[in-house]
Amino acid sequence: MADNGPVLEMTRGEFEELVAEALDRIPPELTRLMDNVAVFVEDEPPADDPELLGLYEGTPLTERGEWYAGVLPDRITVYRGPTLRMCESREDVVAEAEITVVHEIAHHFGIDDARLHALGYG
């Protein structure tokens, strides 16, 4: 990994607040459609993908059938460490957290990475 200089300092609590603010900016017509999903903040992603900013784990709404009942919530995780390492300012973190949250929520709706890239959420 390249040395990008000093890493931006931000407590986990501050980062969690930015993620919550990003969630608050999701249009209500979309959040009403979200079903059985929880959002978490973790400090670091899995060791095999150290630059991962976010991860969606679950069954997208488009793939749920009659069998879908009584299951644990889908999980969206936003990773603080890689986000802070790639950002130069608090404003960058705000923007990146919002992009990451939208990206992972899109997966919940069954939108794949290729479509997200086409929409500008690379």
Side-chain angles (χ1 to χ4, degrees):
M1 185 166 68
D3 182 10
N4 295 331
V7 175
L8 186 63
E9 293 291 326
M10 182 177 292
T11 68
R12 183 173 176 144
E14 289 171 314
F15 188 79
E16 288 173 348
E17 183 63 32
L18 293 182
V19 170
E21 290 171 14
L23 283 166
D24 288 344
R25 286 192 290 278
I26 302 297
E29 53 272 18
L30 283 183
T31 57
R32 278 194 296 273
L33 297 173
M34 291 173 62
D35 181 47
N36 201 30
V37 62
V39 179
F40 298 90
V41 169
E42 297 289 342
D43 289 331
E44 293 297 333
D48 62 341
D49 199 355
E51 295 180 16
L52 186 66
L53 302 179
L55 180 65
Y56 169 76
E57 299 169 288
T59 304
L61 294 176
T62 54
E63 296 177 17
R64 295 180 184 180
E66 292 179 18
W67 57 268
Y68 188 87
V71 299
L72 291 173
D74 290 5
R75 180 181 178 104
I76 291 173
T77 307
V78 180
Y79 297 106
R80 183 174 74 101
T83 304
L84 295 181
R85 288 190 290 274
M86 73 176 290
C87 294
E88 295 181 10
S89 68
R90 179 179 170 80
E91 293 74 27
D92 288 348
V93 174
V94 169
E96 197 56 56
E98 189 164 341
I99 289 168
T100 301
V101 166
V102 167
H103 185 104
E104 303 312 327
I105 288 173
H107 289 318
H108 174 67
F109 284 107
I111 301 170
D112 65 15
D113 282 332
R115 181 70 178 130
L116 282 168
H117 286 282
L119 294 170
Y121 287 97

